[in-house]
Amino acid sequence: AQKVTQAQTEISVVEKEDVTLDCVYETRDTTYYLFWYKQPPSGELVFLIRRNSFDEQNEISGRYSWNFQKSTSSFNFTITASQVVDSAVYFCALIRGTSGSRLTFGEGTQLTVNP
Amino acid sequence: GAVVSQHPSRVICKSGTSVKIECRSLDFQATTMFWYRQFPKQSLMLMATSNEGSKATYEQGVEKDKFLINHASLTLSTLTVTSAHPEDSSFYICSARLAGKETQYFGPGTRLTVL
């Protein structure tokens, strides 16, 4: 069975600080995909990134960056120079690489960026 | 691209009535759609997986006669909450996935309140 753990329930930072959201996963599959989604107060889940298990290259997109390390089963997400608009719940998720698989979500991390 | 809409965004109904929620993929054909339920400050809970033209697959503990799902076309899935009761009040979110792809794109959600 798959499991995704986001140990940080809530994080509060001041604007312009850097913040890292942790994600640790468990799976026995060799092929799988990892995701990060953002859920602002409006409720909609916004897709941020997908990473497959064979690609450990880190990725940067503007102020967002992701660090995927298979050795520690982690897929951490860093926001640089945080802004108030980054305040949201962030979910890490995993899906097996086989057809018909379900998306397994972590419990989410509530990020609050204060001005 | 990959936009998913949901209607209505918010609904209030009396106990005993039925409520239909629509989920549409606006710019792609979704062979598979998913229905989730989310309680306050919790993660998403998968209710059912819906494949176009076939019966939905319900997760354990989800009553299929209570939550009717229809996926009549490649761009539309509907969830009908039958004989709604206050305990059915929740945030319902759908997602859609392209054939052969892993990424799920989520709708904006529907907040159901049963009085």
Side-chain angles (χ1 to χ4, degrees):
Chain A
Q2 287 65 241
K3 185 178 180 181
V4 176
T5 301
Q6 294 179 255
Q8 305 150 306
T9 305
E10 295 184 15
I11 300 176
S12 184
V13 299
V14 177
E15 206 169 18
K16 297 185 182 178
E17 284 185 16
D18 298 347
V19 58
T20 295
L21 309 181
D22 298 333
C23 174
V24 175
Y25 63 92
E26 296 176 28
T27 181
R28 293 183 178 180
D29 296 285
T30 54
T31 303
Y32 52 89
Y33 299 84
L34 295 162
F35 302 83
W36 276 95
Y37 287 91
K38 174 183 179 180
Q39 186 177 38
S42 60
E44 179 177 4
L45 263 78
V46 178
F47 166 74
L48 296 179
I49 189 171
R50 184 194 81 168
R51 181 57 97 222
N52 75 56
S53 54
F54 299 107
D55 182 3
E56 286 192 73
Q57 192 170 12
N58 292 331
E59 181 157 341
I60 298 175
S61 176
R63 295 184 297 106
Y64 295 170
S65 62
W66 291 270
N67 185 318
F68 177 28
Q69 292 196 345
K70 289 179 72 172
S71 60
T72 55
S73 297
S74 64
F75 186 42
N76 296 337
F77 173 31
T78 297
I79 301 175
T80 303
S82 60
Q83 300 176 0
V84 174
V85 293
D86 295 327
S87 297
V89 180
Y90 290 86
F91 289 98
C92 180
L94 174 149
I95 195 168
R96 300 172 65 190
T98 52
S99 175
S101 299
R102 298 175 184 82
L103 197 57
T104 300
F105 282 93
E107 291 303 309
T109 297
Q110 169 71 61
L111 172 65
T112 302
V113 182
N114 299 298
Chain B
V3 179
V4 177
S5 70
Q6 258 182 264
H7 179 78
S9 58
R10 190 179 295 267
V11 57
I12 301 173
C13 69
K14 292 182 179 179
S15 187
T17 60
S18 293
V19 175
K20 180 186 282 189
I21 303 170
E22 291 186 350
C23 177
R24 294 181 184 273
S25 55
L26 297 184
D27 52 0
F28 67 101
Q29 293 187 328
T31 52
T32 306
M33 288 185 170
F34 304 84
W35 287 96
Y36 294 84
R37 184 172 180 177
Q38 186 180 31
F39 291 104
K41 297 189 182 299
Q42 293 190 21
S43 189
L44 282 76
M45 180 185 76
L46 180 65
M47 298 175 65
T49 301
S50 164
N51 289 298
E52 186 265 338
S54 62
K55 289 184 179 180
T57 302
Y58 290 82
E59 294 300 300
Q60 192 173 6
V62 178
E63 300 175 56
K64 61 180 181 181
D65 295 329
K66 172 77 171 175
F67 299 100
L68 300 179
I69 292 172
N70 183 280
H71 193 163
S73 78
L74 286 171
T75 58
L76 174 64
S77 177
T78 59
L79 167 67
T80 301
V81 183
T82 61
S83 187
H85 290 285
E87 57 265 30
D88 298 324
S89 298
S90 191
F91 192 58
Y92 293 88
I93 310 175
C94 72
S95 71
R97 186 178 72 191
L98 283 153
K101 301 294 184 181
E102 302 76 26
T103 303
Q104 291 182 28
Y105 296 95
F106 287 81
T110 297
R111 189 161 303 283
L112 170 64
T113 303
V114 185
L115 302 175

